[in-house]
Amino acid sequence: REGRLGVPMETLKRFSVSVEDLAAGRESAGVRELVEEQVRAARAGLLASRELSGLVPGPSRALVEALVEIELLTADSALRRGAELLRGSASPPPLGALRVLARGCRRARAER
């Protein structure tokens, strides 16, 4: 919407998707495949970032872990939305996010 594209032009070409397709919110096979690839790549980065919590001291570690887990839930929601992401965002399921936060609070208290 803001006119900024975060996907390289080469990637768009690989999926036969144009900037105009994205701006118009067209749901083609190429757009669906592009969205899936981009979300899966982001999800892989999030999975790898779980290791970062080991660099954070004490109770803050639980917060970092919770943030990563909530972003993974959001990525799963984004995968389910697919090309519909062109017309709106994805959110983590509220109950799943609450579970992650509750688990993080318990861990933070245990580490104090």
Side-chain angles (χ1 to χ4, degrees), residues 1-13 17-23 34-35 38 86:
R1 284 185 197 159
E2 295 85 22
R4 288 174 269 154
L5 183 62
V7 180
M9 295 305 290
E10 300 82 36
T11 303
L12 293 180
K13 287 178 189 172
V17 173
S18 69
V19 174
E20 293 77 22
D21 292 334
L22 297 178
L34 170 67
V35 168
Q38 293 295 298
L86 297 176

Side-chain angles (χ1 to χ4, degrees), residues 80-92:
R80 283 189 295 278
R81 289 209 61 203
E84 290 178 22
L85 283 174
L86 297 176
R87 290 183 294 286
S89 61
S91 299

Side-chain angles (χ1 to χ4, degrees), residues 3 6-7 9 12 18 22-23 26-27 33 45 50 55-56 63 65 68 72-73 90 92 94 101 106 110:
V7 180
M9 295 305 290
L12 293 180
S18 69
L22 297 178
R26 293 189 187 105
E27 280 198 49
E33 291 169 6
R50 283 177 166 165
L55 304 173
V56 179
L63 174 62
E65 290 171 355
V68 171
L72 283 165
L73 290 172
L101 292 172
R106 284 192 303 273

Side-chain angles (χ1 to χ4, degrees), residues 4 14 21-22 43 48 51 54 60 65 76 78 105:
R4 288 174 269 154
R14 187 162 37 100
D21 292 334
L22 297 178
R43 195 173 192 295
E51 296 177 17
S60 298
E65 290 171 355
D76 292 342
C105 285

